[in-house]
C-alpha cells in the first residue's frame, strides 16, 4: 500500500472514531435530557415552563419511561449504553471491556432466513449490540476480540 493510501486510511479511521464519539455523546445527552424532563414532570413542574415544546415534553417523558434503570454494579443499562459511554469518553477502555466481558447477554431470537443484515432488528441486551458497535467503529477489533475471548473462557 502506498504511503498516501495509508495516510488516507488512517484519516478515514480517525474520522470514523470522531463520528462515533459524537454520536455517542449526542445519544447520551438526549437520554439525560429525557430523564431530566421526566424528573421535572414527576416533581410537579409546570410543563409549559420547561423551555420545551409541550409535544416534545410528552415525547421525552415517554422516552424516559422506556429507559431501563442502570442495574447496581453495572456501567450501563445495556451493552450499547456501556459502549456509548466508552465512545463518549466517560469510561475507560478497560472498564468497557470488563463490563462487556461480564455482561449477562440475552439469547437472540430466531433469525429470519434470507433477511438482509441491514433489515435485521437488533435486540437490546444481546451480543449483537457489541458486534454492531465494532462494525460501526465504536470499539476496535482488539477490544472486541478481547471481549470474545473472555466470554469464551467463561463457558
Amino acid at each position: 500500500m502506498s504511503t498516501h493510501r495509508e495516510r488516507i486510511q488512517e484519516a478515514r479511521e480517525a474520522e470514523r472514531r470522531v463520528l462515533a464519539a459524537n454520536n455517542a455523546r449526542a445519544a447520551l445527552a438526549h437520554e439525560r435530557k429525557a430523564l431530566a424532563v421526566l424528573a421535572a414532570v414527576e416533581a410537579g413542574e409546570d410543563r409549559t415552563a420547561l423551555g420545551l415544546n409541550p409535544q416534545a415534553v410528552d415525547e421525552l417523558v415517554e422516552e424516559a419511561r422506556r429507559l431501563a434503570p442502570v442495574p447496581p454494579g453495572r456501567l450501563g443499562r445495556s451493552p450499547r449504553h456501556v459502549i456509548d459511554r466508552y465512545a463518549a469518553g466517560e469510561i475507560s477502555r478497560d472498564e468497557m471491556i470488563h463490563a462487556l466481558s461480564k455482561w449477562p447477554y440475552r439469547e437472540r431470537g430466531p433469525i429470519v432466513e434470507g433477511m438482509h443484515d441491514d433489515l435485521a432488528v437488533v435486540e437490546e441486551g444481546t451480543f449483537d449490540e457489541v458486534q454492531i458497535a465494532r462494525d460501526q467503529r465504536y470499539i476496535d477489533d482488539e477490544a472486541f476480540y478481547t471481549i470474545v475471548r473472555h466470554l469464551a473462557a467463561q463457558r
Side-chain angles (χ1 to χ4, degrees), residues 97-112:
I97 289 171
H98 179 76
L100 297 176
S101 295
K102 303 293 183 192
W103 196 269
Y105 294 100
R106 290 182 28 242
E107 288 294 320
R108 187 179 200 297
I111 298 173
V112 178

Side-chain angles (χ1 to χ4, degrees), residues 103-136:
W103 196 269
Y105 294 100
R106 290 182 28 242
E107 288 294 320
R108 187 179 200 297
I111 298 173
V112 178
E113 287 292 323
M115 181 172 268
H116 299 288
D117 288 342
D118 57 344
L119 299 176
V121 174
V122 177
E123 296 180 35
E124 188 171 304
T126 65
F127 193 74
D128 289 354
E129 291 182 292
V130 180
Q131 291 175 309
I132 288 169
R134 176 184 147 233
D135 294 344
Q136 294 174 341

Side-chain angles (χ1 to χ4, degrees), residues 3 62 73 104 121:
T3 304
E62 288 307 311
V121 174

